[in-house]
Amino acid sequence: MPEYLTPALAYVAAALLVPFVPKGALRGLYLALVPVAGILIFWGLAPGTYNAFNVMGMQIGLMRVDALSQLFGLAFSVAAILAALYAWHLRDTIQQVATLLYAGSAIGAVFAADLITLFVFWEGTAIASVFLIWARRTEGSFAAGMRYLIVQVGSGVILIAGIVLLYRETGTIAFNAMELGSPATWTILAAIGIKCAFPFLHNWMHDAYPSATVTGTVVLSIFTTKLAIYALLRGFPGTELLIYIGIAMALFPVAFALLENDLRRVLTYSLNSQLGFMVVGAGIGTPLAINGAAAHAVASIFYQGLLFMSVGAILFRTGTARATALGGLYRTMPLTMIFCLVGAASISALPLTSGFVSKSMVLSAGGYEQMFPVWIALLVASIGAILHTGLRLPYLAFFGSDGGLRPKEAPGGMLLAMGLTAALCIAIGVLPAAFYALLPNDVPYEPYTFSHTIVQLQLVAFVALAFAIAVKRGLLPKAERATILDFDWTYRRLLPAILVGVGRLIAGLWKGAGRMVANSLNWGAGIVYHLHGPRGPFARTWPTGAMVMVVAFLLGMTLVVTYL
Amino acid sequence: MTGSPETRTSASAPMPGSILLGIDTARGGRIAIWCLVLICAGLAAGGFVGHIHGYFEIEELPAFYGWFGFLIALALGIAAKIISAFLRRKEDYYGAGSPSLEEHPASDLGLEAPDA
Amino acid sequence: MMALIEANLPALQVVLPLIAAPICAILGRGGRSWAFACIVILATFAISVALFAQTYAGTIISYRMGGWEIPLGIEYRVDRLNAFVLLIISGSATLVLPYARRIVAAEIPAERQPLFYTAFLLCIAGLLGITITGDAFNIFVFLEISSLATYALVASGSWVNKRALTAAYNYLIMGTVGATFFVIGVGMLYMITGTLNLADLAVRIADHGDSSTLRMGFVFILIGIGLKLAMFPLHLWLPNAYAYAPSAVTAFLAATATKAAVYVMLRFMFTVFGFDYEFQADTLRMVVLPLAVIAMFAASIVAIFQDNLKRMLAYSSIAQIGYILLGLTFLTETGLTASIVHLFNHAVTKAALFMVAGCFILSAGTCSISKLGGIGRDMPWTTAAFVAGGFSLIGLPLTVGFISKWYLVLAALELGWWPVALMIMASSLLAVIYVWRVVEVAYLQPAPEGTVRKEAPLSMLIPTWIFVGLSIWFGVNAMLTSTAAGRAASALFDSSHILWKE
């Protein structure tokens, strides 16, 4: 029955109706139920491509159902429900509509069987999500949203360029695994790389996410980057280059996450680093690695979402997410603290949490392939994650030096959403078999061996000890209100400086060239006017004369060409 | 902002936050560190109970994950500290329009004190 | 009666506005003449739609003026290509006239308004005539009718800014030079073939053989029409004419005048000359191709530095004409499709943008970009229309601009002309810059002290948004336009004798 639909249509239709649903509990319920309807559309469909048709000789397929797309579709849908609960208190119709459209686009993109459909939803996520940033309604967020939109739409434009090239090259627009090598595939990879926040393409994320609204940041953290991971898993599995990109991506944000003061920025860097794990998994490309990347993406949707939710709750109640202003919140926001700690435990891959059963798959995939440098780099990045997000973030927010703030506990909707998300993180960790059954490849994997469990516990405990000692001895960088320079310095500072120089140069040349042209025109015109009398009275007409000169010149040139 | 006058007196937090009261004092910190030392020792010892299977030889070293984690964590902290010397700038480095300088608008918030 | 009308549709298409023009002049008072012009244009548009529907399937309507036999008498010939162009011209006029009411009232004194609408009708009649006629000399006649009307229309901008007079004067000189070149070229063709009927000319040129008279004729027509369609560097008349003409006129001219000239260019190049001889294709590729590419860049760069919004858009038009000419010089069916579809797409986009400029002028009294700070907050609908039109100008997906660029890039890649494809994309980036400049000022800069600006009246907003809507509708669903353009292109292509046709 529902096979002529894509879930995206359900979301779009629902979004159009939002303004007509009375604000309050009814609307909250409505928003939380839309993703359920979305799940009903694709869940239980036999694998295959549905809703395919032909447009201008190109095969469009709106619904490709297989294990990978169902996994991501389900994860996005569940996350959308949780985000809707989290935003229960919200009375801002724009954000509600944007969230639905954004989630719908992301889910639509996941089920796209062809690149054109992917592209349409790709741009859909960009355009819908920017309203979550603008909804903060400040000058700064408007500018940040604009920058975000340019990058995101730019990614789409690059994607469509790649699609055109691919179509020229292969005559098909089907979205399947590609071999890196032609300009087409490089272009498509670049487009995905932007959305995925590859190193040097990552600044949009750290610029935009902390500039969004309380609920907007949570929603943003779920979809865009994971969609890009999905696209990598689908389009470029086993591309060796991705391993190196992923390693760089897992490692470099560690330092920034340790330095940042704004906890939402800490989380974007930590998200960036976690994405690196998934990119490595996609790059290794073995069935286990693909499973690991997919599992980690799904797990990270929830634990990273949970962390963003808890920091959002703090921001919601205190008005700030700056570590320097926070501290000691465990007194009055204990539930938020507990949920935050569950998220922190998950990102630290503590046994019985989702991070443990997903992250270890990626590491094992590297281990099985005997890729020692990959394995050790990911281990270092894991240690970094324990350090900056597993320990430092909850420490700065809930413990640490008392910031003197005594806010009220988060509102009910937020607590419910965080509670459910936390439960999900633990459920995945406790029942890995059920979770693994959803993964795309059928590879047996057992996370809870004696040796794996004990070494992971050792790792977390010793890092915790190191953290405690470092805090006591002042070995960690202090949280300070500051700007930490990232790669965006090159285009926010260096490039403008260069451009100003070049601009001056060009302006000079332009002036010079203009003078030259004007002089020569004057000279040319002078000959004509000599026949017409003194220049003065005719001064106003000389541009016309120059124009006619141009015409005559072109006529002559063309005649010469014609007779050649 | 809702800075309340009361400080670290016992009854200032509802359950379950009150259980943890005092954890952020110097004494609490010392206790936490010693607890961690005990846990680490226990886990390191636990590693010898069974055989540790790894993908690489290095993993078979005694309590490899423990000391490796410890050292790398300290190294990362110190490295970040060094990097901060190079990358840290004034907050308004990118000009006054930067969103990180703004206060989050109150319309998006629900500022409330616990007894409100 | 109906049958009579139906049989004479091609003639009515031109004759109706032509006869209506003097009547309009004697109606007096702005309001009455405006309403009359609206009714006439609506009827003209209906005729265009009927002609388009009749020819969409591929029928060619051949209408004998006065019943004379064809090579002697004047033939009106409607096929898919010019039916499409007729639709663009009369459609634009239909939308521009309702828009014109308010802005004309603000820019032109009441007692002059009937004359303004008269000139407007004459201009439309001329443009429609150029497009519909199948006779070379008749083209010249209508070219002159439309041009003379246009000079008057541009000059009527002088009530606001005296520089409109110089602009009109320059345009007059250049337009006359162009028309003269054209008629010289036609005369040379007549010398060697003895006919003025386009279809007949095509056959006789093929039979006649190469000669230097033919080559001279070819070059004169190319340059003459190149002037009318503002081919770089023959565009010098255009920026001032567009900038100082009344806003409604600019919107109309931008959508139609150069488009009619492009049509004549297409008709002559493909049907009449038909690439029987190698020199024709060589000239196009050695002269027009590089000029088109230069136009894409040079005009766009100049646009970036403009402060007057209308001038900026005018330079952007020159760049866009570069794209149209570029598609033509590919000499492939896809290239032609790109050119023809861009005729429509650019008409829609530019009309919308110039209309926005008009709205700004009406409300803010200026279209100097530096004085439009914060206008996005005072005139949200108008500014949003600019943003949407700007997107189309850049060629972002889901706008018509994207469809044009898609076909153009496809055509370049088909020939394996990689650098050209890259240059098309690179020049789009320049459009990003000049569009962004306006967006930045409109949204991110504070309003100048003490300005009071109201949203534009609905009579102006609605036509503007219809154009914007069209530019999005046909960007999402390009089936109708691209099919029509593709069919027109293949008809043109088949009527030529391109030697290396695969």
Side-chain angles (χ1 to χ4, degrees), chain C residues 142-165:
Chain C
F142 281 119
L143 201 63
E144 279 302 292
I145 293 180
S146 73
S147 300
L148 290 171
T150 312
Y151 308 145
L153 287 173
V154 171
S156 67
S158 63
W159 302 104
V160 177
N161 189 330
K162 286 284 172 232
R163 293 171 78 174
L165 290 176

Side-chain angles (χ1 to χ4, degrees), chain A residues 268-316:
Chain A
T268 60
Y269 278 110
S270 120
L271 170 61
N272 205 172
S273 168
Q274 296 300 306
L275 292 169
F277 283 83
M278 303 164 209
V279 174
V280 170
I284 295 175
T286 59
L288 179 65
I290 296 294
N291 266 5
H296 200 49
V298 172
S300 128
I301 287 176
F302 295 114
Y303 67 66
Q304 204 81 37
L306 179 56
L307 289 161
F308 270 111
M309 284 182 192
S310 59
V311 171
I314 295 172
L315 172 63
F316 184 70

Side-chain angles (χ1 to χ4, degrees), chain C residues 241-370:
Chain C
Y242 278 20
Y244 298 117
S247 304
V249 173
T250 312
F252 178 67
L253 289 183
T256 56
T258 47
K259 309 300 176 289
V262 170
Y263 161 75
V264 176
M265 177 79 110
L266 288 173
R267 183 60 84 197
F268 265 89
M269 289 303 136
F270 285 87
T271 305
V272 176
F273 291 112
F275 302 98
D276 305 327
Y277 311 108
E278 219 169 318
F279 79 89
Q280 295 163 340
D282 284 350
T283 312
L284 277 191
R285 287 201 166 153
M286 290 175 68
V287 178
V288 181
L289 175 72
L291 290 179
V293 173
I294 296 174
M296 278 155 44
F297 283 93
S300 298
I301 293 173
V302 176
I304 292 172
F305 292 99
Q306 291 302 316
D307 180 56
N308 182 324
L309 185 61
K310 278 166 87 176
R311 266 183 88 90
M312 183 200 97
L313 291 173
Y315 276 108
S316 144
S317 278
I318 296 161
Q320 301 287 325
I321 288 163
Y323 292 123
I324 295 177
L325 289 176
L326 186 66
L328 190 157
T329 59
F330 288 157
L331 300 182
T332 63
E333 213 171 304
T334 324
L336 263 184
T337 309
S339 284
I340 296 171
V341 86
H342 198 46
L343 272 188
F344 173 81
N345 293 347
H346 179 240
V348 168
T349 309
K350 235 352 134 25
L353 288 170
F354 272 118
M355 282 173 145
V356 169
C359 292
F360 284 160
I361 291 177
L362 186 75
S363 291
T366 178
C367 65
S368 154
I369 294 174
S370 55

Side-chain angles (χ1 to χ4, degrees), chain A residues 89 214 315-318 408-409 411, chain B residues 106-113:
Chain A
H89 66 277
V214 169
L315 172 63
F316 184 70
R317 280 304 191 214
T318 65
K408 197 182 169 184
E409 181 58 274
Chain B
S107 57
D108 191 38
L109 303 175
L111 305 173
E112 273 180 69

Side-chain angles (χ1 to χ4, degrees), chain A residues 102 121-127 129 148 151-153 155-156 189-198 201 204-205 209 223-229 249 275:
Chain A
Y102 181 28
F121 288 123
W122 196 263
E123 292 288 37
T125 58
I127 294 165
S129 57
Y148 169 82
V151 172
Q152 295 292 311
V153 170
S155 156
L189 183 66
I192 300 176
I194 293 176
K195 259 207 170 27
C196 200
F198 281 2
L201 305 175
W204 62 266
M205 186 162 121
Y209 285 10
F223 296 109
T224 300
T225 50
K226 307 313 184 302
L227 172 60
I229 294 292
M249 203 167 149
L275 292 169

Side-chain angles (χ1 to χ4, degrees), chain C residues 71-96:
Chain C
L72 282 176
I74 292 170
E75 181 195 14
Y76 277 16
R77 197 177 169 86
V78 190
D79 63 6
R80 285 159 169 166
L81 176 63
N82 55 3
F84 190 58
V85 180
L86 288 174
L87 200 63
I88 295 176
I89 295 173
S90 59
S92 307
T94 315
L95 286 172
V96 168

Side-chain angles (χ1 to χ4, degrees), chain A residues 93-140:
Chain A
T93 306
I94 290 179
Q95 283 192 68
Q96 290 164 340
V97 171
T99 305
L100 281 186
L101 291 176
Y102 181 28
S105 303
I107 294 169
V110 162
F111 284 104
D114 67 283
L115 289 161
I116 296 286
T117 310
L118 178 76
F119 161 76
V120 170
F121 288 123
W122 196 263
E123 292 288 37
T125 58
I127 294 165
S129 57
V130 73
F131 287 95
L132 297 174
I133 301 165
W134 283 341
R136 188 161 132 176
R137 299 187 174 87
T138 62
E139 292 284 329

